[in-house]
Amino acid sequence: MADPTPILGIDLGTTNSLVGVVDSGFPILLADEAGQRSTPSAVNYAMDGSVLVGEAALRKRALEPQRTVTSVKRLIGRRAGEGSWQPAYNLRQLDVTPVQVSAEILKRLKAIAERALEQTVSRAVITVPAYFNDAQRNATKQAGELAGLTVERIVSEPTAAALAYGLDKLEEHKKIAVYDLGGGTFDISVLEMRDGVFQVLSTAGDTQLGGDDVDRVLMEHVLEAAGTSSLPDEARMATLLVAAEAAKKRLSTEESTRVEIPFFEGSQSLSVEIGRAEFEKRIRPLIEHTRPHCLRALSDAGIKPEDLDEVILVGGSTRIPLVRSYVKEIFGREPNVSQNPDEAVAMGAVIQAGILSGSLKNVLLLDVTPLSLGIETFGGLMNIIIPRNTTIPCKAGEMFTNAVANQKDMLIRVLQGERELAKDNWELGRIEIPFPPGPKGSARVGVQFAIDANGILQVLARDTATNTDTVLEIQNTAVNVDDERVEQMIAESVEYAFEDMNERVWTEAKLKAEELLPAVDAALEQFGDAVTAEEKAVIEAAAAQVRSVLTAVDHDARALKVANQTLDDATQELAVRLVEQAMEESLVRRGLV
């Protein structure tokens, strides 16, 4: 018997999806009526309005490519036109969204589970690539809700795979890398496992790289080898894509194979011999694209390849011999292939579901946020509130004040990214907090960021004078940046590190100079007679130098800092006199002198 109120574990995959549950204390994957645990992530929308999901839909792909949706995971939570991959079908013509398509797949998995368990189920844990952004995670959650499921947790796929691997090793202390190359996405995560606690140390990846891309490269090679003069129509292209995918799988165990499609062009059949060596040559650039992500994940985790205890392979594309040899080359060790690469993520989701339902105990899963989160501060700087790779769920906050006098409100721009300047990061949303005008520094606004267990962000801003709260739920990000730019963000933060830091130091020094110069001018006007000509000349020369550096074309942060310090030193005596006068005036007002 399953748990009285079971929680399903679901791997909503690009190519295939799986569902399971903890039964009598054991995590199991559930099979459909045909005894298959894997359900193709395909949906066919027939002309009569009926919907087919799974294997039945996949059989329709060659006949009705425009009405058969596959690999929708690569579109979920994304704006039209983002990413280089474009499907053969048009969701707008079908009048459906990626969320609705995903919901159909989830409905099918829910039905498989209810048939196997002989009871209604309404709760689930669903996995997503570690590098899914906030919009993609929310869209996945919406798909679950549309399918009639309460989504209890969104779990990163590599984390789920590590959880599946480590269930029988709860007493051990290990550092693990999970290399996950699936149908449409690539993830690399480094985790530490100690006494049943799984903590993600770092994560990286590309949500637009996977087996789909390998299939297309192989398909292009077949067309080239066949000498096809023009691109096939959509139906033949779909047929060829299916044949290319089958050939790819055969080349994992065979040295050569043949792609044969009878009557491919009218009476002409297609027949092309493909050797593994040529296949690997063609796809190597794709596989090599995973190296920088792996190296970055290791660097972010602060460990070297030799520090790892295991490198686990997950995802059907890791069956390709080139992938396995390349992983060995990157990490300097044989990868662990003890897990079924197609089922490890689903098994981890089931285990996490069992933990939440109470069916499994003594295991704790800690995930991380993949990119830093913060707000824009005065001067256009990025102020980080939650650094990247912070364990979630988490909360963090800071107090901010008005930067100029008589300011009527504060605009809080919520940012995501790794660059020093706000303009180089991505805006997720904004909140405007009104408050009574007053002197500089008179307003106090507390800003708190909270990331829940699903990696979804909530921003709370509180005006401490009125205790008025404004809450921003980042359900669909204002800017759904192309995932290819996510991986660029960290690379650019390294590439432009010196320029960015110089610009930050320059901006901070500029703000100080813009405060210092008016104060010096006012002090000279007030104490002009009390300052010697020599003192005044030194102060004016120092002020002139600050103005000169400020107006220079090149932002020389070091020169501005030196000029500020020189002016600061030159006005020390003047500052002392100002303080003494202020104290004397205060004593007079109080009648003490």
Side-chain angles (χ1 to χ4, degrees):
M1 277 290 292
D3 188 278
T5 56
I7 302 177
L8 301 179
I10 293 175
D11 172 12
L12 184 60
T14 306
T15 308
N16 295 291
S17 297
L18 299 95
V19 61
V21 72
V22 172
D23 190 348
S24 303
F26 293 96
I28 59 168
L29 298 179
L30 302 172
D32 62 12
E33 301 86 341
Q36 298 297 316
R37 293 197 295 265
S38 181
T39 298
S41 300
V43 181
N44 174 265
Y45 293 88
M47 292 290 291
D48 62 5
S50 61
V51 178
L52 294 175
V53 181
E55 196 65 49
L58 209 55
R59 287 195 290 270
K60 290 275 191 176
R61 182 165 62 168
L63 299 172
E64 301 177 359
Q66 283 284 3
R67 308 199 67 83
T68 306
V69 181
T70 57
S71 301
V72 74
K73 184 174 177 177
R74 299 185 80 164
L75 298 175
I76 196 164
R78 300 168 62 83
R79 295 184 300 183
E82 285 188 342
S84 58
W85 177 79
Q86 295 300 324
Y89 51 82
N90 187 324
L91 293 183
R92 192 170 295 175
Q93 288 181 358
L94 293 173
D95 195 28
V96 293
T97 67
V99 168
Q100 291 171 325
V101 176
S102 300
E104 293 294 344
I105 299 168
L106 290 169
K107 285 178 188 175
R108 172 62 180 154
L109 297 176
K110 181 174 183 286
I112 289 171
E114 289 179 338
R115 173 188 168 278
L117 299 174
E118 299 181 341
Q119 66 179 111
T120 302
V121 289
S122 61
R123 304 165 71 195
V125 166
I126 303 177
T127 61
V128 297
Y131 243 57
F132 255 25
N133 62 25
D134 191 69
Q136 292 166 307
R137 289 168 183 263
N138 271 296
T140 302
K141 191 173 183 181
Q142 289 166 16
E145 291 165 352
L146 193 59
L149 294 167
T150 299
V151 182
E152 301 289 346
R153 182 74 59 89
I154 298 288
V155 178
S156 295
E157 290 166 5
T159 308
L163 193 59
Y165 165 82
L167 185 62
D168 59 343
K169 303 175 178 65
L170 297 181
E171 304 305 317
E172 296 185 18
H173 177 204
K174 287 180 176 286
K175 286 187 175 72
I176 303 166
V178 181
Y179 183 102
D180 183 354
L181 186 60
T185 60
F186 168 69
D187 279 303
I188 175 70
S189 289
V190 179
L191 305 95
E192 185 170 24
M193 180 176 65
R194 188 199 298 265
D195 298 328
V197 176
F198 287 73
Q199 181 167 1
V200 181
L201 303 179
S202 65
T203 187
D206 184 346
T207 56
Q208 295 295 295
L209 174 66
D212 286 351
D213 305 284
V214 172
D215 296 344
R216 280 196 301 280
V217 167
L218 187 54
M219 179 183 71
E220 290 164 3
H221 170 57
V222 170
L223 287 173
E224 181 185 316
T228 304
S229 57
S230 59
L231 286 175
D233 59 29
E234 290 170 351
R236 283 183 295 149
M237 188 74 83
T239 301
L240 181 54
L241 200 57
V242 171
E245 182 183 359
K248 173 190 69 175
K249 292 178 179 178
R250 291 196 299 273
L251 285 170
S252 290
T253 56
E254 301 171 13
E255 287 301 320
S256 66
T257 188
R258 183 169 289 275
V259 174
E260 294 186 290
I261 305 176
F263 309 109
F264 184 67
E265 288 185 280
S267 61
Q268 296 293 315
S269 297
L270 183 147
S271 179
V272 174
E273 181 81 16
I274 304 171
R276 183 188 289 178
E278 179 63 25
F279 168 62
E280 291 184 344
K281 177 184 173 184
R282 296 275 177 160
I283 68 168
R284 178 171 281 276
L286 288 174
I287 308 307
E288 287 177 344
H289 188 57
T290 66
R291 178 189 286 271
H293 300 294
C294 294
L295 298 181
R296 187 171 68 243
L298 288 171
S299 175
D300 288 348
I303 64 174
K304 298 176 181 178
E306 55 266 29
D307 297 329
L308 293 170
D309 295 290
E310 297 285 356
V311 178
I312 303 171
L313 296 186
V314 178
S317 297
T318 62
R319 295 183 187 276
I320 299 172
L322 174 65
V323 173
R324 296 190 173 188
S325 62
Y326 196 67
V327 171
K328 180 183 177 182
E329 179 184 323
I330 294 172
F331 293 99
R333 65 184 308 124
E334 288 287 347
N336 184 314
V337 293
S338 62
Q339 289 288 305
N340 180 330
D342 299 311
E343 297 183 351
V345 170
M347 191 61 75
V350 172
I351 293 167
Q352 177 62 28
I355 295 167
L356 292 177
S357 68
S359 302
L360 294 174
K361 302 185 186 300
N362 302 322
V363 182
L364 179 63
L365 182 59
L366 303 175
D367 213 333
V368 296
T369 178
L371 289 172
S372 298
L373 296 159
I375 72 168
E376 179 180 8
T377 55
F378 191 63
L381 298 176
M382 163 75 156
N383 185 89
I384 293 175
I385 292 180
I386 297 179
R388 69 183 296 258
N389 283 331
T390 296
T391 301
I392 59 175
C394 65
K395 286 184 181 179
E398 287 188 29
M399 190 71 70
F400 297 92
T401 188
N402 55 317
V404 295
N406 299 316
Q407 192 174 328
K408 295 180 180 180
D409 53 42
M410 183 184 295
L411 177 63
I412 297 172
R413 292 182 63 223
V414 180
L415 304 173
Q416 181 181 43
E418 302 305 316
R419 302 290 297 276
E420 296 289 339
L421 303 185
K423 67 181 180 63
D424 295 323
N425 294 299
W426 309 323
E427 181 178 319
L428 300 183
R430 52 177 61 193
I431 307 173
E432 194 165 313
I433 307 297
F435 44 73
K440 174 185 173 182
S442 61
R444 292 286 186 275
V445 175
V447 177
Q448 177 182 272
F449 281 24
I451 306 179
D452 67 14
N454 296 320
I456 296 169
L457 174 66
Q458 183 185 74
V459 180
L460 179 146
R462 174 175 296 166
D463 179 358
T464 57
T466 62
N467 279 333
T468 302
D469 289 349
T470 305
V471 178
L472 176 65
E473 282 275 355
I474 310 290
Q475 291 295 328
N476 285 293
T477 54
V479 180
N480 290 347
V481 184
D482 187 343
D483 287 325
E484 291 173 0
R485 289 193 59 215
V486 175
E487 61 195 64
Q488 292 174 4
M489 171 60 71
I490 300 166
E492 287 175 1
S493 72
V494 174
E495 182 180 352
Y496 299 111
F498 291 110
E499 293 94 327
D500 284 2
M501 187 52 66
N502 181 76
E503 199 63 29
R504 173 178 278 276
V505 174
W506 164 266
T507 302
E508 291 170 345
K510 179 173 177 281
L511 293 174
K512 180 177 180 180
E514 289 172 345
E515 281 188 6
L516 195 55
L517 287 170
V520 169
D521 291 342
L524 282 176
E525 185 177 344
Q526 185 174 353
F527 286 96
D529 297 336
V531 177
T532 67
E534 186 180 349
E535 285 177 322
K536 188 173 183 180
V538 171
I539 292 171
E540 288 178 341
Q545 178 61 24
V546 171
R547 289 189 173 93
S548 174
V549 178
L550 271 177
T551 55
V553 176
D554 62 321
H555 289 181
D556 191 336
R558 183 176 177 278
L560 186 54
K561 284 186 71 177
V562 170
N564 280 343
Q565 189 60 51
T566 302
L567 180 57
D568 219 6
D569 294 341
T571 56
Q572 284 297 315
E573 186 64 32
L574 196 57
V576 170
R577 293 177 194 176
L578 278 172
V579 172
E580 288 176 348
Q581 180 181 337
M583 291 178 63
E584 187 174 337
E585 289 174 353
S586 175
L587 291 172
V588 168
R589 285 196 304 270
R590 293 162 62 189
L592 298 176
V593 294

